[in-house]
Amino acid sequence: MNDNISGWNTWLTAFDDWTDVSISEVHGLMTGLMTACNAPDEPVWAKVFEELSFAPLPDEALTLLTEEAEDTVFQLKDKDDAYSYTPLVPDDEHELYERVMALKQWANGFMTGFGITDCSLSSDENEMLSDLAKIGGIRLEDDEDFEGGEESYLHIYEFARMVPVSFATRTRKPVKDIALIAGLAIDAKTTRELQAEGKLPKPMPPVVDAMNQNRPS
């Protein structure tokens, strides 16, 4: 899939004047949130980014994000369409380094987006998030080859691509109802208490990707 068909160029243009995080990370954040929530309107998206301490999105970017979220929810709700979901990363005409870094950013965005949904996790989902965190923890210098090359990249890409497909089976709720937007009730349980009950993912251990385990930072 080339950059025009995937929407990469459209996102680059829309987010040209907004540089808080990469477009891949924004797309991952949106996807993570949309695996558990209904697509919100533009004011709610603006509130999400405000609460996450991001700069306000340009109008064009906010509109694109809102429309993309609606399409993503629609796609992930359908069992057949869900399998055609793709993370927003550059096509294979780009250097492997650029694609690996974009997938890393998408993975981190997904974990942020899903993390703010306050959803409980099954043991399988918890394991998938732990593996996704390894992609988010990839460290690679500009002049450093990605161990395993294209084959390894395709492997982690396919794994990442299937995470939202697997996570999207739960009943969705309005984004305005998540604690980030609605606020916490006076009797709300702490994060530690919710983790002990299995209603939140446990803190991720320090991630050392297999390709980096012999190169501690």
Side-chain angles (χ1 to χ4, degrees):
M1 184 178 294
N2 65 43
D3 287 344
N4 289 319
I5 296 175
S6 69
W8 178 261
N9 288 335
T10 301
W11 279 69
L12 276 182
T13 300
F15 284 81
D16 182 55
D17 295 327
W18 191 85
T19 56
D20 280 27
V21 295
S22 72
I23 56 174
S24 292
E25 189 161 344
V26 173
H27 192 268
L29 188 155
M30 176 275 295
T31 304
L33 195 53
M34 292 302 94
T35 60
C37 296
N38 296 312
D41 57 18
E42 290 189 13
V44 175
W45 270 120
K47 184 64 174 176
V48 169
F49 275 67
E50 177 186 345
E51 292 298 324
L52 290 173
S53 299
F54 289 132
L57 290 174
D59 290 344
E60 183 181 358
L62 186 58
T63 298
L64 176 63
L65 178 65
T66 303
E67 292 173 350
E68 186 76 11
E70 292 174 354
D71 291 344
T72 298
V73 169
F74 182 81
Q75 180 181 28
L76 292 177
K77 279 183 176 180
D78 186 279
K79 291 183 179 180
D80 294 326
D81 287 348
Y83 286 96
S84 63
Y85 171 85
T86 55
L88 186 68
V89 297
D91 69 22
D92 57 12
E93 292 186 2
H94 292 254
E95 294 291 333
L96 180 58
Y97 171 84
E98 185 178 352
R99 286 177 278 143
V100 171
M101 290 298 100
L103 189 61
K104 163 193 171 78
Q105 293 154 4
W106 182 92
N108 285 324
F110 182 93
M111 290 186 291
T112 298
F114 183 78
I116 64 176
T117 65
D118 316 311
C119 286
S120 59
L121 286 169
S122 68
S123 58
D124 287 343
E125 289 172 333
N126 206 8
E127 184 176 350
M128 290 184 77
L129 271 191
S130 296
D131 288 339
L132 191 65
K134 295 176 183 178
I135 297 175
I138 290 174
R139 297 187 300 274
L140 202 63
E141 300 299 329
D142 290 351
D143 59 350
E144 187 179 0
D145 291 333
F146 180 60
E147 187 173 327
E150 292 285 348
E151 184 176 353
S152 289
Y153 169 73
L154 289 175
H155 176 74
I156 63 171
Y157 173 86
E158 281 300 312
F159 170 79
R161 190 176 74 81
M162 292 306 297
V163 171
V165 177
S166 301
F167 274 55
T169 58
R170 55 178 44 80
T171 301
R172 286 174 170 77
K173 56 187 174 182
V175 173
K176 63 181 179 61
D177 289 347
I178 65 176
L180 180 76
I181 305 301
L184 291 173
I186 294 176
D187 60 349
K189 295 183 179 180
T190 66
T191 298
R192 187 181 297 274
E193 290 171 332
L194 291 173
Q195 288 169 344
E197 294 175 3
K199 295 180 179 179
L200 282 179
K202 295 181 179 179
M204 295 294 179
V207 175
V208 181
D209 191 78
M211 69 178 183
N212 292 314
Q213 59 185 332
N214 295 322
R215 286 173 282 164
S217 57

